[in-house]
């Protein structure tokens, strides 16, 4: 899954400066936030909870210009709560970030 590595990595580097430990910590926090919101999205059974989690994912993506996550969040907003396709795409996105670490 493409997660616009250039924009994400550039913003991660800008936030961390020349500190690789900080960059690793920021990446880990980003992925942890993604996984937490993905879990909440997966457990959402009503439109309101689904929408709140999708909006939080979109905000998380926007915070580091992760355009792939922003697009997935938009897809979630257009789908029904519990949509397995969206949930699988988000899981693959998260896994791709973990593999980049």
């Amino acid at each position: 899954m493409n997660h616009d590595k250039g924009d994400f990595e550039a913003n991660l580097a800008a936030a961390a400066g020349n500190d690789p430990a900080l960059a690793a910590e920021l990446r880990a926090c980003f992925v942890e936030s993604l996984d937490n919101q993905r879990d909440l999205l997966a457990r959402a059974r009503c439109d309101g909870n689904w929408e709140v989690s999708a909006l939080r994912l979109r905000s998380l993506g926007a915070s580091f210009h992760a355009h792939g996550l922003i697009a997935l969040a938009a897809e979630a907003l257009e789908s029904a709560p519990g949509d397995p396709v969206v949930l699988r795409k988000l899981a693959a996105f998260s896994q791709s970030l973990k593999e980049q670490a």
Side-chain angles (χ1 to χ4, degrees):
M1 162 109 3
N2 177 12
H3 60 82
D4 299 305
K5 184 180 175 193
D7 287 344
F8 177 76
E9 294 298 330
N11 281 281
L12 190 64
N18 292 327
D19 188 343
L22 179 58
E25 185 176 345
L26 288 172
R27 178 186 295 278
C29 289
F30 183 88
V31 171
E32 181 180 359
S33 293
L34 167 59
D35 287 342
N36 287 339
Q37 288 308 312
R38 188 171 53 89
D39 179 58
L40 289 172
L41 192 71
R43 291 187 286 127
R45 295 296 173 250
C46 69
D47 291 343
N49 291 340
W50 179 268
E51 184 175 339
V52 167
S53 294
L55 289 171
R56 287 180 179 166
L57 283 167
R58 185 175 68 183
S59 295
L60 178 64
S63 68
F64 277 88
H65 299 268
H67 300 289
L69 181 55
I70 296 168
L72 288 173
E75 187 175 338
L77 286 167
E78 295 173 3
S79 64
D83 185 334
V85 173
V86 170
L87 295 172
R88 280 194 301 270
K89 288 179 179 181
L90 285 165
F93 182 85
S94 176
Q95 186 60 38
S96 73
L97 287 174
K98 291 172 186 172
E99 291 170 357
Q100 295 291 321

